[in-house]
Amino acid sequence: QVQLVESGGGLVQPGGSLRLSCAASGSILYINTMGWYRQAPGKGREWIATITSSESTNYADSVKGRFTISRDNAKNTVYLQMNSLKPEDTAVYYCNADGIGYTPSTGTKAFGSWGQGTQVTVSS
């Protein structure tokens, strides 16, 4: 029932920047951790960054110093600011969130959801 939708992907040149957004919707009581992952062609899904409810962040070494994860709790949205992009950053980027949702019939329940992904292509 909780849905995540990524946006902001596109085609950029090496050294360029993109800002990805991921908005969660549904009957959400609480979002704990939100994160970003990516999957390049022929590769497995790779963890990029996570941010907790207290806004503590962690980054993969491959993006540390270049990418910044942030969140807006009022909007149930997580962002990924991507700077100094490299061709090897080309991938489909996915967001993830876990927390507590609500349904009238069952009450509260834990959820863990993924977005559909957004394509990021870094090429000259």
Side-chain angles (χ1 to χ4, degrees):
Q1 188 173 3
V2 176
Q3 305 289 330
L4 303 181
V5 179
E6 301 97 335
S7 62
L11 174 64
V12 297
Q13 293 186 333
S17 297
L18 282 175
R19 180 179 169 88
L20 305 183
S21 299
C22 173
S25 62
S27 299
I28 301 169
L29 297 181
Y30 175 77
I31 297 178
N32 183 24
T33 301
M34 306 186 80
W36 287 97
Y37 301 74
R38 67 186 182 188
Q39 188 165 13
K43 304 292 184 180
R45 189 166 296 187
E46 174 191 14
W47 168 74
I48 299 170
T50 51
I51 183 167
T52 69
S53 59
S54 61
E55 301 192 18
S56 177
T57 60
N58 286 286
Y59 298 92
D61 289 341
S62 59
V63 305
K64 191 173 298 182
R66 299 188 298 120
F67 292 7
T68 302
I69 188 171
S70 61
R71 64 191 287 171
D72 185 336
N73 292 329
K75 297 180 179 179
N76 288 329
T77 299
V78 63
Y79 305 94
L80 186 68
Q81 179 65 46
M82 310 165 65
N83 298 327
S84 302
L85 284 163
K86 305 174 181 179
E88 50 263 46
D89 295 320
T90 296
V92 177
Y93 284 70
Y94 300 89
C95 65
N96 168 265
D98 66 85
I100 305 297
Y102 173 82
T103 61
S105 59
T106 62
T108 60
K109 65 176 181 179
F111 71 87
S113 299
W114 290 90
Q116 83 291 341
T118 185
Q119 177 70 49
V120 172
T121 302
V122 185
S123 177
S124 59

